[in-house]
Every structure is written in C-alpha cells, then in structure tokens.
Amino acid sequence: MSFHGTLHSLVHEALQPDGQRLRILDIPHLSFAGGERVGISGPSGSGKTSLLHCLAGLVIPDHGEIVWDQIPITRLEASACDAWRLRHVGLIFQDFQLIPELSVIENILLTTCFSQWRVGQEARLQAHRQAEALGLPDRDQPVSTLSRGEQQRVAVARALRHNPPLILADEPTASLDRANADKVMRALLAYADTQRATLVVASHDPAVLALMDRVIPLANGRVQAGAEEAS
Amino acid sequence: MNPFVMVKADYRAMHGSAWAIVFLVACAVAIGVALSAQEKAVRQSATYAAADFDLVVGAAGSATQLVMTTIYLQPDALPLLPGQTLKSLQTDPRIKAFAPMAFGDVVAGYPLIGTTKEFVTRWGRFSAAAEGRFFAAENEAVIGSGVKLQVGQDITPAHAVAGEQSRLGEISPQEQAHRHAHVHLTIVGRLPQTGTPWDNAILIPIESVWETHGLGNGHQTDGIIGPPFDADDIPPIPAFVVKPASISHAYQLRGDYRKNNFMALFPAEILVTLYQAMGDVRDVLLVATVLNGVLILAAIILLVLAIFSLRRKRYVVLRALGAPALYIGLVAWLGAFGLIAAGCVVGLFLGWGLTALVSMWLSAQTGLALVLIFDWLQIGPALFMLLSGSLFALVPAWLSYRLPLHEGLRQL
C-alpha cells in the first residue's frame, strides 16, 4: 500500500465574528510519501486541525488542490468525498466522537453499517481481534462507561476498521495520560508499519511528534520557513 | 446499510423526550378515532334498531317524537289515534302484518308496552323466547333481555308521569305513588337480545293495557288476545307499526295515512334528518378536532425538531466517518417514524378503548347496542401525522448537511 499525497497552493479563510475574513491556512506546497509518518505541530489556533480537515476532505479550501493517490479530493462532490473518506481514511478525533449509547464492538463496526445490512461473522471476528489487540477487554460494554484512554482506543479501532491506507489523527493523545497516550500511539504506529499506511498526526505533544519521520511546524496557518526543506 | 443501530442509539439518548412524542401522538390519534368511531357506531345502531319498523303510523304531530317514542322508547305522551284505525288496518290487503303500540306505563323503571304477539316475535323472526314463552293471555308479560326481573315474577304497572325519566330497574317514588294496584301481571318469558332499547322493555298484550285503564279489551268476547279486534268500540291507540305487503304498497299506505289527522312515515325519513343534525354536530366537532390535531401536530413537529436538532452533532460525526446522506436521512426519518408510529398504534387502541367505554355508557343509557366499527378512514389522520411528523425529522439532518463538516465538528 503506497498512499501518497500532495497539496498545492492551499488557501482557506474563515469568517470572524466581527465580519472580517481571516486567512487560517496558506500553504504553497506539501507532499506526503506513501507509508510516511508526518507530524503537524504548532500552538493552538495555528491551523493544525484545519489542515487535517482539508486533508480528510471535511472542508473544501477556498483555493488550492489536494490530491491523494491521484484523486483530487478538492474537486469531488460532497457525497463522493464522503464515500472516498469511508474507503480510504481512518479519522481519529481529539474528543473521540464515539456514540456513547453503543457498545465497544458496535462503535467499532459502525462504519460497516453504512454499507451493509448485516455485519458478517468474519468482520465481527476481525473487530473483536482489533479490540483485543488494543487491550479492550469487555466489548459489549457501552463506551460511555469506559475510561478516556479506553474510549480513544475504541476510536482507533473504529478508524482502522476498513484497513485505510491513510490515518489522520487530530491530537489523539491530548486528553490522555502518558500510559494511555503511549498505548494509542503504539497501536497507530504498529498499524502504519504493518499496512504501510500513511500516518498524519496533528499534535503539540513532543513525545508524539518524536515518533514521526518528520514534523511540519505550523504558525498562523503557514508552514514555518525552512521547516519543509529541513525535514 | 443498517440504520437501526443508530436509531437504537438515538432512542437510548432521548430518554423521556421520546415518550413525550409517543404520548402526544397517542392523545391526538385517540381523540380523532374516538369521535369518528362513536358517531359511526351510534348511526349504525340507530339504523339497526329501526329495522323492524317498516312504517310507523300515528296521530298528526311531531314526526320525530313518533319515531323517538315508538322505536327508541323515549317516553313522551303521543297524541292518540281513534280505535277504528285498527279495524281499517286489519282489513287492508296492502298490509302483511301490523301491531298496535300502547305506551305510558312503567314497571320498576322499565317501560311497559302493549302490543301483539306478532311484534313480540318480531314478525316471526323469534321462533321461541330465550327463556320461558311468549305471552298467550291477558295479564301475562314478556321481558326484554336486559330487564333485571325474573320469569315467573308478578309485577304491578304504574302510570308513568309525563316528563319523568325513570331509571331502569329502580322504583321511583312517583312510580310507587301511581301504581295500578288492582293489576297483577306475571312474567312468562324473556325475549332474545335485539341490541335495541326494546331489550329494556316489558311487553304485554295491548288488551291488558286497555283493561288496566278500564277501556275494555277490543274484542267482543273476553279472554282473546291479538287480532282480529272486533269490538264495536276499540280504545284509542298511540301508534301502529305496519309491515306493508310490498314496497309500492308501503308508499301507498304512507300516502293514505298522511291525511285526516294521521301521520305515516318510514323511520329512515326521520333518521336521515337526525343523522344530518348528528353530522352537523360531528362536523363542528371534527373542525375542533382538526384544529386540536393541528396544534398537536405543531407541538409534535417542534418536539421532533428540538429532539432531532440535538442529534445534529451525531449526523456531522456520521458524515465525517463517511456515512452517505441516505444513511443519515434514514436514521433521522426512521427514528421519528418509529416514535410517531408507536404513538399512532397506542392512540388507535386508546381511541377504540375510549369508544368502547363511551358506547357501554351510551348503551346503558339508551339500550342501543353500539357496534364498534373499525374503519380505514380512522387510520387516515394517523397516517398523515406519521408521514408529516417523520418528514420534519429530516430537517435537522438536512441542516447538518448545510453546515460545513469541519465547522460542525468544532461548533456542535
């Protein structure tokens, strides 16, 4: 699996409460090699999440193009982009975004329900194996009763469910203690290694960023001078 | 695609507010169904009660009163027909059968009606009494199926007081005071159920009524009951029920007995007018119910919008995870549909239950056995509510599409 991406002339503005338009992203060029681990660093408000959302097709930038594996996702219709994301992207959010009323296994299998009426035995077994590998013992427990560390591991299992070639993680360890943060990162890196998946992690945790092949430092929506070349 | 996983999760998240939707819908549907079913039941039962009364003949006066008194046994003093009418009816070849009806006395609150065996057997439809036998002599009585007296029991009639509505089965002080103390009747049989007010009546030979009031017995010799009535002087009679030999004869008879202080009518003529009035009342009630329904629908829609707006964040997350629009739409629509459908089902049963209760009360009051009619038309408003209510649940889902995904993820 070699899932590479490029980003050209990306400009995105947001409307401020005072009516002014604020440029939140302005990145002339970025590229992601297949199987590469890339960190995005920067203080709060530097544009990390916005960049990640652009890369996931969650937002269409005002200007510029993003191409993943020869597919220009910035030109896709919204529905086609949603379908592309389901097939190719494992998304991990800072605040997990799990469905609290569903059990561990139901959350992991949720994306399967988008396309299938019945979850097959094989898929179910695989989901159980994933949960086991992530150290989630009771898979029938509602996720609302789990610790934050366990919840993020459920979110990781859900993201990896379809063996996506691209993992986009937004502050995956921000609300976790060190031990849980390590577990989550180990799981993501192990997956990326075995599947040769491209991993992009936005974080301001130096320990997380140290695990990446390279780090793109962002400030005010711009890649800091020399960083791209230096890495 | 399996939206039910998310629908289940949504219901769990809603807690009590889901029940509020079910409750509101159930109330709205129940009121509508009860109203429509009740009106239909009354109409059907009233028509059925008139089935044995082909043509009713009385003295000129209120046609409605003639029908109400003769068929539905609503007590009132009818003007009397001369006894000679009986003679002309019994020789009229256009008449297959006829029965005189004499009202005015009560026993234990039950109306006592003097008539002939032909009518007691409902023109031969009843081959035997349900218990005991039909009357065969003066001073014998048969009771309707609902009368709480025993076969073999002796009874003494009392003169009913005009305007006094006696309670069935209860001896009022007025009845006590106006007893025909010299008259003793024996109950010899109980009639099969008819589902009409006549189930709460006591029937005796008309001769007994005349004798009670010292008017003779309509025959030249004593001890005979029923036609032919051959006395020179036959006592006056409040009403006749006539079974014409054919439809054309029926119309001829109706024409003939509309002259010279007579009045003849088919019960349907009066019932149509009554139903029209009932229909008008129903229309007014329907308008009120529709307005009520509109208000409830508005409340349901607001509730659905409010509850499903809380789910917007969920729709955004589902979309971020790659769920197609159809999936999210189905989750929202099925969620609301399930709740409103549950409300409709509960409401339909509640409405029918309510109708059954009101019918039982009305039956006890009037003797009309109200048959509940379940009609697809009653389900129509429920279906409308189901479709319109559940469609509104799509609004929050649609709004979650209007919001750019990354803003939704941040804001909601």
Side-chain angles (χ1 to χ4, degrees):
Chain A
M1 190 183 318
S2 174
F3 204 75
H4 60 275
T6 51
L7 176 158
H8 291 290
S9 319
L10 183 78
V11 173
H12 191 58
E13 291 181 340
L15 200 63
Q16 296 299 104
D18 59 8
Q20 298 288 312
R21 293 190 72 83
L22 179 74
R23 185 162 287 201
I24 51 171
L25 283 177
D26 187 350
I27 303 173
H29 178 81
L30 273 182
S31 65
F32 303 90
E36 193 180 18
R37 306 162 177 184
V38 182
I40 301 171
S41 71
S44 296
S46 59
K48 299 192 298 291
T49 299
S50 294
L51 175 57
L52 217 59
H53 284 181
C54 282
L55 293 174
L58 293 174
V59 56
I60 307 298
D62 297 332
H63 186 262
E65 186 173 63
I66 297 166
V67 178
W68 280 110
D69 205 29
Q70 294 169 2
I71 295 175
I73 63 161
T74 37
R75 287 195 226 155
L76 292 178
E77 292 277 323
S79 59
C81 193
D82 292 344
W84 170 83
R85 194 163 50 248
L86 179 62
R87 278 196 305 277
H88 298 104
V89 184
L91 262 182
I92 296 159
F93 303 94
Q94 180 179 345
D95 44 2
F96 326 138
Q97 305 289 10
L98 297 171
I99 307 297
E101 297 81 18
L102 295 183
S103 70
V104 170
I105 207 75
E106 284 171 327
N107 264 286
I108 296 174
L109 288 167
L110 180 62
T111 50
T112 309
C113 297
F114 296 165
S115 55
Q116 289 175 28
W117 170 253
R118 254 183 84 90
V119 178
Q121 194 61 28
E122 181 52 37
R124 199 169 281 277
L125 275 175
Q126 197 191 352
H128 275 281
R129 277 198 295 271
Q130 273 175 320
E132 199 177 354
L134 283 158
L136 295 161
D138 187 356
R139 267 93 77 181
D140 293 322
Q141 212 177 341
V143 290
S144 55
T145 61
L146 299 181
S147 71
R148 294 186 68 77
E150 287 171 322
Q151 288 192 27
Q152 189 60 306
R153 277 181 274 152
V154 175
V156 169
R158 180 182 65 186
L160 305 184
R161 170 76 195 85
H162 293 292
N163 297 326
L166 173 63
I167 307 287
L168 298 172
D170 186 11
E171 302 277 11
T173 61
S175 60
L176 306 183
D177 58 39
R178 191 72 265 156
N180 272 307
D182 287 347
K183 277 185 194 168
V184 166
M185 285 314 297
R186 267 204 302 276
L188 287 179
L189 291 171
Y191 173 82
D193 279 348
T194 51
Q195 300 290 324
R196 292 275 305 138
T198 307
L199 176 65
V200 183
V201 180
S203 178
H204 52 243
D205 181 350
V208 169
L209 295 171
L211 299 167
M212 301 293 118
D213 295 335
R214 66 184 166 110
V215 174
I216 302 165
L218 279 187
N220 297 321
R222 290 178 168 80
V223 178
Q224 287 194 304
E228 180 73 338
E229 293 78 27
S231 55
Chain B
M1 182 172 295
N2 182 357
F4 290 101
V5 177
M6 279 308 299
V7 171
K8 188 177 75 177
D10 277 352
Y11 285 166
R12 283 189 195 152
M14 283 177 201
H15 303 295
S17 46
W19 290 110
I21 293 185
V22 174
F23 176 76
L24 267 181
V25 173
C27 285
V29 171
I31 293 169
V33 164
L35 191 72
S36 143
Q38 196 69 63
E39 190 262 347
K40 270 210 171 61
V42 168
R43 187 186 284 233
Q44 181 117 339
S45 307
T47 308
Y48 174 74
D52 283 321
F53 298 77
D54 294 30
L55 182 69
V56 182
V57 178
S62 159
T64 307
Q65 198 52 57
L66 180 63
V67 166
M68 292 311 282
T69 303
T70 316
I71 300 175
Y72 304 107
L73 301 181
Q74 296 297 308
D76 207 334
L78 291 176
L80 299 173
L81 287 169
Q84 287 308 313
T85 320
L86 210 161
K87 281 194 168 168
S88 54
L89 284 173
Q90 68 190 2
T91 54
D92 195 321
R94 297 170 298 178
I95 291 174
K96 195 165 134 199
F98 78 97
M101 299 278 166
F103 312 96
D105 286 346
V106 289
V107 175
Y110 299 108
L112 190 77
I113 297 127
T115 183
T116 57
K117 196 178 160 195
E118 279 75 20
F119 185 76
V120 171
T121 64
R122 294 278 167 156
W123 317 114
R125 202 150 49 80
F126 298 158
S127 55
E131 185 188 346
R133 57 175 175 79
F134 300 126
F135 57 63
E138 276 185 44
N139 300 329
E140 286 187 344
V142 287
I143 52 178
S145 61
V147 174
K148 289 184 180 60
L149 296 173
Q150 303 303 318
V151 173
Q153 199 175 335
D154 279 347
I155 50 174
T156 298
H159 202 72
V161 180
E164 181 75 25
Q165 177 88 49
S166 48
R167 289 173 72 91
L168 299 174
E170 279 179 22
I171 302 170
S172 67
Q174 280 86 349
E175 185 180 331
Q176 197 86 41
H178 293 88
R179 278 215 166 136
H180 304 291
H182 61 288
V183 181
H184 298 281
L185 305 166
T186 307
I187 300 171
V188 296
R190 185 186 294 277
L191 294 173
Q193 192 178 1
T194 61
T196 72
W198 286 76
D199 286 340
N200 290 324
I202 301 173
L203 279 64
I204 57 172
I206 192 162
E207 291 83 352
S208 290
V209 177
W210 290 331
E211 296 271 24
T212 301
H213 296 90
L215 301 168
N217 71 354
H219 299 278
Q220 289 193 346
T221 42
D222 279 350
I224 299 172
I225 61 162
F229 297 91
D230 54 4
D232 294 332
D233 191 16
I234 294 178
I237 294 154
F240 289 96
V241 180
V242 173
K243 229 176 156 43
S246 70
I247 291 177
S248 61
H249 291 143
Y251 278 92
Q252 278 177 18
L253 286 163
R254 175 173 165 272
D256 289 356
Y257 284 95
R258 285 199 154 190
K259 301 166 191 157
N260 309 325
N261 272 341
F262 281 95
M263 180 167 65
L265 46 91
F266 303 128
E269 298 173 58
I270 298 302
L271 288 181
V272 164
T273 322
L274 280 180
Y275 293 161
Q276 228 152 26
M278 247 165 81
D280 290 346
V281 172
R282 182 200 52 190
D283 287 348
V284 170
L285 283 174
L286 264 184
V287 170
T289 316
V290 166
L291 287 177
N292 180 42
V294 167
L295 277 180
I296 291 185
L297 188 65
I300 291 166
I301 287 168
L302 276 180
L303 202 59
V304 164
L305 278 177
I307 288 174
F308 284 82
S309 291
L310 295 176
R311 315 251 82 71
R312 259 172 79 198
K313 170 75 188 246
R314 237 169 225 206
Y315 304 146
V316 169
V317 170
L318 289 179
R319 219 189 126 195
L321 293 174
L326 178 65
Y327 184 84
I328 295 169
L330 271 177
V331 167
W333 183 72
L334 279 172
F337 186 89
L339 292 179
I340 301 174
C344 285
V345 171
V346 172
L348 284 175
F349 282 104
L350 208 65
W352 288 332
L354 202 66
T355 313
L357 276 180
V358 175
S359 292
M360 269 164 63
W361 176 78
L362 270 179
S363 290
Q365 295 290 309
T366 62
L368 277 181
L370 296 183
V371 186
L372 292 188
I373 301 142
F374 304 127
D375 187 328
W376 286 107
L377 282 176
Q378 292 162 7
I379 298 172
L383 283 179
F384 173 73
M385 199 173 287
L386 191 55
L387 277 176
S388 55
S390 59
L391 283 179
F392 270 92
L394 290 175
V395 174
W398 176 72
L399 285 178
S400 70
Y401 261 79
R402 301 255 303 162
L403 195 67
L405 262 177
H406 72 295
E407 275 177 37
L409 284 170
R410 278 166 190 244
Q411 289 172 12
L412 295 174

